Amino acid sequence: MRRNERAPATVRAAKRLGVHRRPDGWRLALPLVLLAQLACGSASEPGGSGDIQIIVNTMGGDLDQDGYTVTVDLQPHRTVPPNEPVLLRNIPAGPRAIAISDVAANCDVVTPLPRSVTVVPGRQVVAQLDVHCLTTGVRITLEEHGVDLDEDGYTLSIDGGAAVGVGKGLITTIGRLKPGVRQLVFGGTSANCQVAGGPQRSVSVTHREVTPVHIRVDCQAATGLLEIAASTSGEDLDPDGFRFRVDGGAAQPLGTGQSLLVPKLTPGLHTVELDGLSANCTLSGLPKRSFSVVVGAITPVTFEVTCARTDVIAFARGSTIMTIRGDGAGLQRVLDGETPSWSPDGTRMVYSQRTCSYPYYYYCDTFSMYTVTLGTGATKLLSPEIIGAPEWSPDGTSIAFAARTAARILIQVMAADGATPSVIDIPGLTGPATDPSWSPSGHQLVFTCWSPMGADLYFVDVTGSGFQRLMNTGGYAHSPDWSPDGTHIAFATGTPVDDGQIVVIRADGSGRRELAVGRDPAWSPDGTRLVFSRRGSEPGIYVINADGSGLVRLTTVDGDYAPAWRP
């Protein structure tokens, strides 16, 4: 070939690839691998593809509304919303350069671009880009002063646009405003309220900045108030209080001794009605009355209520002492304790409280005795260890109870102020003695004596003399209670586990009458009724007439026991 002749195109291409012809054929000047790469693609582009998950983490305010355009190797792919992951599928494997465009003017891309990721065949990689946006707008701080403040908040319009709500006492930020002087107009104020300095403001808004705007609203009184109270006197005040209505509206609770303000009442006459009184409470005057309301003033409304003494029964619910009225109303908790007994004047209570040495096994081996002065909560420890229920003497000076002494369970008497107890020495007593109950005179006790065969009732003088059996039941007779007039004794039959009958007999042991299934009987102060407890399928506290009629169930809780009628 002559020098001035052009080589064929195939020869020229071979030379560019580094292939030269030898006398015996073509010689490969480049490695075979490089030639294969030039023929099939770059070494950074191995075969296969993977996925890229794009997350544009956008922070700040006035976030980009139309999203970003993501590019892969400078090629636009799709739009990515702020803070929403988007998956790009089937991206060729190898190093890839990720970037975004169409970023809003108030936003800055924090991550250096392009972001390099390596796509692995059949795998997914994550590329997160951080963007920070700045708000262009105003921050409204609204303060209210005065009385009868606006209840439904306020409105704000900017440059004559649609009004938006502005919360009371809150900081409200409004963004996406155009830079420049903006006209703000506040509205929605009540007739008695005014915006200090007028409702209109001219505010200079700077690009990518939030301009603070402080608004003060002053309100004058436009309504008046009623102060409603129930002045209650007497005994056994209503435990759950009363109800009142203003102008026939919804009932509102009013506690005993409590006063409540009813605000925002228009000037003029308004009616107030009181109801919800307990059966033992009476109202002085009419329950519905009219009162005049004056702007900016408080009008007092006082109802005079007098409550009479009523039946009150204390009982134990588990390890808590409760009280309830004889009609089943007014249930309330008094304190932690068990086996309550009232003082003769009904102002104090003696009760027991258990201590469990091994709670896991429910083994409670110690009962301590306390007194409490009702209404004050003041308690006093009388005895560290007792068994069964203590009982206050009719004259209020002493308390009888059962306690363990020298490995025996005996009846003891202690002064109500907690002086050292004395054991009643009962000659001939062989079994454990429990459940003492005073005679109305205070000179005798009736109690339970236990034996392996059962339990019987016995009398004894407080001095220890006069020990005699009341009756031989041949089974169980326990938990006696002497009637207030001293003529009868009520007791329970049945085992310590199962209920038996509530029985009433004369004090001489005659005239046995079975009244109802139950245990723990106690007389009413007038001796006409009995209260008792019941277990089983119909548990609770019951009241029955002494002749066996008029059975009434007061509670329905299994575990209510040891009732005691307040004198």
Side-chain angles (χ1 to χ4, degrees):
M1 183 186 302
R2 295 190 298 270
R3 283 182 182 271
N4 58 355
E5 288 185 28
R6 293 181 57 85
T10 55
V11 176
R12 294 197 303 269
K15 289 183 177 181
R16 285 199 301 271
L17 294 177
V19 181
H20 301 277
R21 188 169 185 175
R22 296 173 30 165
D24 57 350
W26 290 95
R27 179 174 61 88
L28 184 62
L30 295 178
L32 181 62
V33 173
L34 179 59
L35 183 60
Q37 290 176 349
L38 292 174
C40 301
S42 170
S44 62
E45 297 182 357
S49 62
D51 300 336
I52 304 177
Q53 185 184 67
I54 305 293
I55 302 175
V56 182
N57 181 34
T58 308
M59 302 164 287
D62 289 357
L63 305 187
D64 196 307
Q65 292 183 306
D66 55 4
Y68 315 94
T69 300
V70 62
T71 62
V72 179
D73 295 339
L74 302 180
Q75 298 298 317
H77 242 267
R78 59 172 297 182
T79 300
V80 178
N83 301 316
E84 294 185 16
V86 171
L87 191 62
L88 306 183
R89 295 186 177 278
N90 301 320
I91 305 300
R96 296 288 170 251
I98 308 299
I100 55 173
S101 59
D102 298 328
V103 180
N106 67 307
C107 300
D108 300 317
V109 181
V110 179
T111 304
L113 297 180
R115 167 75 186 277
S116 297
V117 298
T118 299
V119 178
V120 179
R123 302 287 295 276
Q124 176 181 304
V125 295
V126 178
Q128 176 174 312
L129 307 178
D130 295 330
V131 175
H132 185 254
C133 299
L134 299 174
T135 300
T136 300
V138 293
R139 180 178 292 113
I140 309 297
T141 302
L142 191 146
E143 294 182 3
E144 291 179 299
H145 297 268
V147 294
D148 287 339
L149 305 180
D150 195 300
E151 294 185 347
D152 57 1
Y154 306 91
T155 61
L156 170 65
S157 64
I158 301 177
D159 294 338
V164 297
V166 179
K168 299 181 1 170
L170 302 176
I171 297 177
T172 303
T173 299
I174 300 176
R176 304 193 186 282
L177 300 183
K178 293 181 179 180
V181 178
R182 308 267 71 86
Q183 299 299 319
L184 279 59
V185 178
F186 291 86
T189 55
S190 301
N192 64 308
C193 300
Q194 291 184 343
V195 178
Q200 186 167 338
R201 296 283 191 280
S202 293
V203 179
S204 179
V205 176
T206 304
H207 180 54
R208 295 162 65 102
E209 291 185 7
V210 177
T211 303
V213 179
H214 181 268
I215 301 297
R216 175 188 172 116
V217 178
D218 295 308
C219 298
Q220 303 297 322
T223 63
L225 304 91
L226 290 175
E227 184 176 22
I228 301 175
S231 176
T232 311
S233 59
E235 295 186 70
D236 296 339
L237 306 185
D238 197 315
D240 55 3
F242 315 99
R243 298 187 303 269
F244 72 90
R245 291 178 173 84
V246 177
D247 297 331
Q252 302 180 55
L254 179 66
T256 301
Q258 181 186 25
S259 63
L260 291 177
L261 286 175
V262 180
K264 293 189 176 297
L265 296 174
T266 57
L269 289 178
H270 293 267
T271 61
V272 181
E273 184 177 7
L274 188 75
D275 61 15
L277 280 69
S278 298
N280 65 308
C281 298
T282 58
L283 176 64
S284 176
L286 296 174
K288 187 174 183 180
R289 308 171 191 177
S290 295
F291 299 88
S292 180
V293 172
V294 179
V295 171
I298 299 176
T299 301
V301 177
T302 302
F303 292 90
E304 301 288 342
V305 178
T306 303
C307 297
R309 187 177 180 87
T310 186
D311 291 337
V312 174
I313 298 168
F315 64 93
R317 173 170 287 177
S319 297
T320 302
I321 294 177
M322 313 286 292
T323 58
I324 193 171
R325 292 209 305 261
D327 60 3
L331 177 68
Q332 59 181 332
R333 177 188 179 278
V334 179
L335 77 167
D336 292 335
E338 303 176 48
T339 62
S341 174
W342 296 90
S343 64
D345 61 3
T347 63
R348 292 179 294 170
M349 203 181 279
V350 61
Y351 63 96
S352 63
Q353 196 168 56
R354 71 178 65 194
T355 301
C356 301
S357 301
Y358 306 99
Y360 181 79
Y361 297 101
Y362 304 98
Y363 178 65
C364 302
D365 56 358
T366 302
F367 286 78
S368 298
M369 183 169 61
Y370 296 81
T371 60
V372 60
T373 301
L374 300 174
T376 67
T379 60
K380 183 178 181 179
L381 174 64
L382 298 184
S383 173
E385 292 187 26
I386 68 170
I387 294 175
E391 182 165 311
W392 221 303
S393 66
D395 62 4
T397 62
S398 303
I399 296 171
F401 58 94
R404 188 181 301 276
T405 301
R408 297 185 64 193
I409 299 174
L410 299 174
I411 302 299
Q412 301 187 33
V413 174
M414 171 188 285
D417 61 3
T420 303
S422 61
V423 177
I424 298 179
D425 185 12
I426 307 175
L429 179 68
T430 58
T434 63
D435 308 329
S437 176
W438 294 88
S439 67
S441 66
H443 300 311
Q444 280 184 301
L445 291 165
V446 60
F447 64 95
T448 304
C449 182
W450 298 85
S451 71
M453 303 302 296
D456 284 318
L457 303 182
Y458 289 80
F459 290 127
V460 69
D461 293 339
V462 177
T463 61
S465 62
F467 174 56
Q468 61 177 317
R469 188 198 301 263
L470 171 61
M471 60 181 297
N472 186 353
T473 62
Y476 287 92
H478 55 86
S479 306
D481 192 51
W482 218 316
S483 67
D485 61 5
T487 61
H488 291 80
I489 293 173
F491 62 93
T493 65
T495 70
V497 177
D498 298 318
D499 286 351
Q501 288 286 323
I502 301 298
V503 179
V504 173
I505 60 173
R506 295 188 184 96
D508 62 4
S510 65
R512 177 186 175 109
R513 288 182 288 115
E514 295 185 352
L515 304 186
V517 174
R519 60 177 54 231
D520 306 326
W523 290 94
S524 65
D526 61 5
T528 62
R529 292 176 292 171
L530 286 156
V531 62
F532 62 93
S533 65
R534 182 182 289 178
R535 300 176 182 175
S537 60
E538 296 181 332
I541 302 296
Y542 288 79
V543 170
I544 193 170
N545 293 329
D547 62 4
S549 65
L551 180 66
V552 177
R553 188 179 187 182
L554 302 185
T555 72
T556 60
V557 176
D558 193 3
D560 289 353
Y561 65 101
W565 222 305
R566 186 184 66 181

